[in-house]
Amino acid sequence: MRHLFFILIISTFGFTSFSQSANEWPLFRGGQDLTGVSVSKISNNPKLLWTFSTDDIIKSSPVVSNNKIVLGTTDGMVYCLDMKGKLTWKFDSGNSIEAPALIYDNTVFIGNLDGNLFALDLNSGSVKWKYETDNQINGSANWWKEGNNVSIIVGSYDYYLHCVDAKTGKARWKYESDNFVNGTAACANGQAIFGGCDGFLHVVDIKSGKLAHKIDVSTYVASSVSINGKSVYLGDYDGRFSRVDIDAEKIAWTWEQEKIHLPFVASPALLGNNVVIGNNDKHVYCFNKQNGKLIWKYNTGKKVDGSAIIADGKVIVGNSRGDLLLLDLKDGKRIWSYEIGSDIIGNAAVVSKKIIVGALDGTIYCFGN
């Protein structure tokens, strides 16, 4: 039986309901709000169940839906595996893939460095449509449904956030920022929210494509944001981590490293009062989401580009040495680690009591009971 977990958010934006299944991880941060939370149970001592070798480097993060794992590689291939690690199909996109895929309604949406966004049939890998932007796509697509209309939203290095019809691939609107759009736009309450390389947090109305709020966060934001009600959490390239109040259009608090200022390239994970993020200074940090006070930090030994996932009271994160770690969410103490030995720059998919992650050695790893 499928176990469903429901998160209900009531705010001045209105009422929103997010649902998540322990058997699904269809977006690289788990859900549209990009909070990086899985409801799957995870063993304290997972074992390596299987590996699958692709033909090139893996920079993107795996996604899972309907018992299928989808992931792209830097030779432009999209791979679809079953949950036992057997190849179902693969598709040649024509250029390097660094962006994670999105799976929605049995369709895979994935972009490449040519700036092409593909819609592929989840069961066969056949092309449903292709949408062209004018520069590379580095971040995952997201989705939003209003009535019978489903929109696919993706950023590009052409400075635009693009909104296209999920069924046809026809453009609905383009919103122009002032620099590259590197991360994924979080979607909640009818709004698409992203931090740009222009140093602003952009809040865009999904129905119209019009700007609702533009908030100065002062510096380059390479990663994706997480949303909680009226608050947005983001790290920047100058080593600051902030909570931004959308209604007030201001930064509510900022935590900053005292001695060194290395980038937050990873995206934050958010559950309860905890917000967790890794930094290039080798540490994983856990903050109080209300006031920004540091709860704990853990030194992984190497820089952390990959985004953390929270599941079953644990933090799952990899580093550039290839260590995959389980940390206790309460105090940051290490529960388990596994030395993959190759840089992990994406985040894991945590689904069906399994941890699925790719590494720069071109291998997909699956851990579980």
Side-chain angles (χ1 to χ4, degrees):
M1 178 181 177
R2 243 182 182 180
H3 300 287
L4 293 177
F5 174 70
F6 295 94
I7 304 170
L8 303 180
I9 302 172
I10 301 175
S11 72
T12 55
F13 290 123
F15 176 83
T16 302
S17 173
F18 295 109
S19 66
Q20 192 181 76
S21 164
N23 301 319
E24 296 280 309
W25 190 263
L27 185 63
F28 93 112
R29 301 298 291 149
Q32 294 161 280
D33 50 357
L34 307 186
T35 52
V37 175
S38 171
V39 298
S40 177
K41 296 292 184 181
I42 290 295
S43 168
N44 284 349
N45 188 30
K47 306 299 182 184
L48 180 63
L49 301 181
W50 54 259
T51 63
F52 178 88
S53 295
T54 70
D55 294 326
D56 213 330
I57 292 168
I58 297 174
K59 292 186 176 182
S60 71
S61 304
V63 294
V64 181
S65 183
N66 291 331
N67 294 312
K68 292 182 174 64
I69 303 162
V70 178
L71 181 143
T73 55
T74 55
D75 60 357
M77 301 302 296
V78 182
Y79 289 83
C80 180
L81 313 178
D82 66 20
M83 292 300 288
K84 295 182 180 180
K86 302 299 182 184
L87 181 67
T88 301
W89 54 260
K90 63 180 181 179
F91 168 77
D92 188 353
S93 78
N95 203 333
S96 180
I97 295 175
E98 298 184 7
L102 159 69
I103 304 175
Y104 179 83
D105 193 23
N106 281 313
T107 304
V108 176
F109 302 93
I110 192 164
N112 68 9
L113 296 194
D114 267 340
N116 294 321
L117 177 69
F118 294 90
L120 309 175
D121 185 275
L122 178 60
N123 295 312
S124 67
S126 61
V127 179
K128 294 184 174 183
W129 51 255
K130 182 177 78 171
Y131 174 84
E132 297 180 7
T133 73
D134 290 327
N135 209 327
Q136 66 190 50
I137 295 172
N138 276 58
S140 172
N142 207 337
W143 67 275
W144 189 257
K145 184 176 183 180
E146 189 163 334
N148 294 322
N149 295 320
V150 179
S151 296
I152 302 300
I153 297 158
V154 68
S156 170
Y157 271 41
D158 64 5
Y159 293 17
Y160 284 95
L161 186 70
H162 297 256
C163 178
V164 302
D165 182 272
K167 289 192 177 298
T168 66
K170 301 293 185 184
R172 288 196 166 141
W173 50 257
K174 294 195 302 183
Y175 165 77
E176 187 175 12
S177 69
D178 297 316
N179 208 320
F180 304 140
V181 182
N182 189 70
T184 301
C187 293
N189 309 295
Q191 295 174 320
I193 303 172
F194 68 96
C197 297
D198 57 5
F200 287 90
L201 180 71
H202 301 261
V203 182
V204 180
D205 180 79
I206 296 175
K207 187 175 182 179
S208 66
K210 303 297 184 184
L211 182 68
H213 303 278
K214 186 177 179 181
I215 303 161
D216 188 357
V217 293
S218 297
T219 192
Y220 182 95
V221 179
S223 60
S224 304
V225 304
S226 294
I227 304 174
N228 180 244
K230 296 178 289 184
S231 296
V232 175
Y233 297 84
L234 59 87
D236 66 40
Y237 222 70
D238 287 343
R240 294 188 293 262
F241 186 71
S242 304
R243 177 168 75 86
V244 180
D245 187 314
I246 295 176
D247 276 357
E249 295 191 341
K250 67 177 185 181
I251 297 174
W253 56 255
T254 296
W255 179 89
E256 190 170 1
Q257 302 170 50
E258 293 180 1
K259 296 181 180 179
I260 57 174
H261 302 276
L262 294 177
F264 283 103
V265 177
S267 302
L270 176 63
L271 181 66
N273 205 40
N274 301 293
V275 57
V276 179
I277 190 169
N279 185 268
N280 277 188
D281 70 356
K282 307 177 184 179
H283 288 84
V284 177
Y285 294 92
C286 181
F287 301 100
N288 181 307
K289 75 173 185 183
Q290 302 295 340
N291 55 31
K293 291 185 177 179
L294 182 66
I295 298 173
W296 54 258
K297 65 179 180 179
Y298 177 84
N299 189 343
T300 73
K302 286 291 181 179
K303 69 175 183 174
V304 182
D305 287 332
S307 304
I309 302 296
I310 298 173
D312 196 21
K314 307 172 188 69
V315 175
I316 301 98
V317 68
N319 67 10
S320 63
R321 187 169 54 200
D323 301 320
L324 185 64
L325 303 161
L326 295 186
L327 308 177
D328 193 310
L329 179 60
K330 297 190 300 294
D331 55 21
K333 291 182 178 178
R334 186 177 67 181
I335 298 171
W336 170 90
S337 66
Y338 185 94
E339 187 179 338
I340 287 175
S342 182
D343 198 338
I344 302 168
I345 65 172
N347 61 236
V350 181
V351 60
S352 301
K353 299 182 180 179
K354 296 177 176 64
I355 302 169
I356 302 164
V357 67
L360 290 194
D361 63 1
T363 303
I364 304 168
Y365 298 82
C366 179
F367 300 87
N369 294 331

